[in-house]
Amino acid sequence: MFQEATAEDRRKYYTMEWKIERIPDFIRESIHLREFGFDHTGQGPNDRYRFFRDEKFLTKFMKYRAPYAAYSSVALYDRPWKREGWRSSELVFDVDAKDIPVRQCKCDNVCEKCLDQAKEIVAMIIDTLEDDLGLREIHVIYSGRGYHIRVLDPIILKSDSEVRSQILKYVIGGDIPRFSYTDFEGRVRSLDHFMVPLGYPRVFTERSRYIILHLNGDEKIEDITRQTMNKILEYRDLIGADRWGEFRDIIGPRVYERLIKGIAKLNLQLVDARVTVDLKRILRLPSSLHSKVSMICTHVEDLESFDPLRDAVPDFVKEKS
């Protein structure tokens, strides 16, 4: 499992197993408006600005060329062969299992454990997109080494990179929420994020809880020593029990402030921010082969029951095992 596919493996997959019907409808219905890109050698997608009038032309290309990797744009264009006449772009979040900042598996590539972690992160982000921001038409694609969340809600399709950046920071908890108020005696009081169980403070608290509970102790957090990290790990069960105030008092308010600053930075690494703000990004084409790990890029119908080691393994890998 997770071995690189050979040219013969790719040929076998695209001629015998790959079907155009595996591409989700939201891409098939707009093939003529998307830019396609390909990697034929394993060196990256250098065959760009490809355009297909319909499914028939794309099918012929895929079966004949059996590419190392295939991509399509998140944007729709009037002239996709030039990337001109931009119409709209999906809002995308890229969660790569090998880049999760708090991996407990410590594997070199990807494994079942870090793929499960990626799936947990995807579920958290979708909950926030739906419950806090009210977004709909959300699709999940298993990319081969993680997941792509692709949002096609009409309200977001024409937004610029700055709006997407603000949404990104909200859903992953990239900024520390600050609250203060003046009491009846005129004194200024502050509230910690965990004291506000609504809106963005709740999102930040949930993401911070996830990060702290998944720390393995080897992470580098600015101004946090190894000794302090050990103390954080020793008492982090208090956070699991939602006893944030007690946890803060034990490690000390100043250390807690430094920890939270570090956690906010780790939160920003839960997804690849460059993908979210890029309006002209190309992403792996669902149904195509991720040849580096011999997994099928798969449209996920039900995230909870989806198992990539069962549902995204090509036949040539099953035959070898």
Side-chain angles (χ1 to χ4, degrees):
M1 194 73 76
F2 303 124
Q3 299 297 308
E4 186 172 16
T6 66
E8 180 58 30
D9 291 334
R10 302 199 312 264
R11 182 70 57 194
K12 196 170 186 179
Y13 173 73
Y14 282 109
T15 57
M16 300 178 66
E17 188 174 357
W18 181 83
K19 290 181 172 57
I20 191 78
E21 291 80 9
R22 284 189 171 184
I23 299 177
D25 289 346
F26 71 86
I27 293 178
R28 290 172 60 191
E29 291 166 355
S30 55
I31 280 179
H32 63 295
L33 298 175
R34 293 180 188 266
E35 177 208 359
F36 283 78
F38 299 93
D39 174 5
H40 301 291
T41 62
Q43 301 301 311
N46 53 13
D47 182 7
R48 298 281 304 264
Y49 297 88
R50 286 278 184 174
F51 159 73
F52 299 97
R53 295 188 184 281
D54 55 35
E55 296 179 6
K56 187 187 299 181
F57 284 96
L58 176 60
T59 299
K60 186 176 181 181
F61 182 93
M62 297 292 277
K63 288 184 177 293
Y64 179 70
R65 298 296 297 271
Y68 189 87
Y71 306 82
S72 64
S73 65
V74 300
L76 304 184
Y77 305 95
D78 292 330
R79 296 174 296 282
W81 57 90
K82 292 184 177 179
R83 291 200 297 182
E84 291 180 351
W86 181 83
R87 294 187 179 188
S88 63
S89 293
E90 302 160 16
L91 173 66
V92 178
F93 301 90
D94 179 11
V95 181
D96 195 319
K98 68 177 176 52
D99 294 329
I100 294 172
V102 285
R103 296 207 312 169
Q104 295 185 312
C105 61
K106 300 181 181 180
C107 70
D108 295 331
N109 191 7
V110 292
C111 67
E112 185 174 4
K113 197 167 185 175
C114 56
L115 285 174
D116 283 344
Q117 265 192 264
K119 188 173 164 180
E120 289 175 6
I121 294 167
V122 167
M124 288 194 301
I125 292 175
I126 290 176
D127 284 347
T128 302
L129 290 170
E130 291 180 336
D131 298 342
D132 285 51
L133 304 183
L135 294 176
R136 296 293 180 265
E137 295 192 46
I138 299 173
H139 297 264
V140 176
I141 308 295
Y142 171 68
S143 66
R145 293 200 295 198
Y147 294 86
H148 296 152
I149 302 170
R150 303 175 68 152
V151 184
L152 282 82
D153 193 312
I155 200 170
I156 205 70
L157 293 179
K158 291 186 179 296
S159 61
D160 60 20
S161 294
E162 179 57 33
V163 171
R164 293 166 193 253
S165 176
Q166 294 303 316
I167 293 173
L168 170 72
K169 289 180 181 178
Y170 187 102
V171 301
I172 63 175
D175 290 325
I176 302 173
R178 304 289 185 186
F179 291 96
S180 62
Y181 67 96
T182 304
D183 65 16
F184 293 117
E185 297 175 348
R187 291 175 297 190
V188 177
R189 304 283 191 180
S190 61
L191 291 174
D192 283 311
H193 63 92
F194 53 81
M195 297 175 178
V196 184
L198 299 168
Y200 180 66
R202 178 186 58 78
V203 174
F204 181 82
T205 299
E206 289 182 355
R207 301 297 180 270
S208 300
R209 188 200 323 273
Y210 180 87
I211 291 289
I212 294 173
L213 293 181
H214 286 80
L215 289 171
N216 60 43
D218 293 333
E219 296 83 0
K220 303 297 182 187
I221 299 179
E222 190 175 348
D223 295 328
I224 297 293
T225 65
R226 182 73 203 190
Q227 185 178 8
T228 302
M229 178 62 82
N230 290 339
K231 193 170 185 180
I232 291 167
L233 298 181
E234 181 180 356
Y235 289 99
R236 65 180 172 182
D237 285 349
L238 291 171
I239 288 177
D242 212 20
R243 293 156 62 185
W244 286 84
E246 194 174 337
F247 174 78
R248 179 198 56 193
D249 293 343
I250 288 176
I251 68 171
R254 290 184 179 178
V255 172
Y256 183 79
E257 185 66 21
R258 295 202 296 269
L259 172 65
I260 287 302
K261 284 182 181 176
I263 294 299
K265 292 180 181 177
L266 290 177
N267 286 347
L268 287 170
Q269 299 172 39
L270 289 172
V271 303
D272 185 343
R274 297 169 300 177
V275 175
T276 301
V277 301
D278 188 352
L279 300 180
K280 296 186 175 181
R281 198 78 176 187
I282 56 172
L283 292 180
R284 287 188 183 277
L285 179 68
S287 78
S288 68
L289 188 67
H290 191 316
S291 298
K292 192 74 175 176
V293 289
S294 293
M295 299 287 279
I296 301 171
C297 182
T298 304
H299 186 212
V300 178
E301 299 289 348
D302 179 52
L303 182 62
E304 187 174 347
S305 63
F306 179 75
D307 178 359
L309 303 187
R310 179 194 62 208
D311 303 325
V313 180
D315 288 345
F316 70 81
V317 172
K318 295 175 185 174
E319 291 167 1
K320 290 179 182 178
S321 61

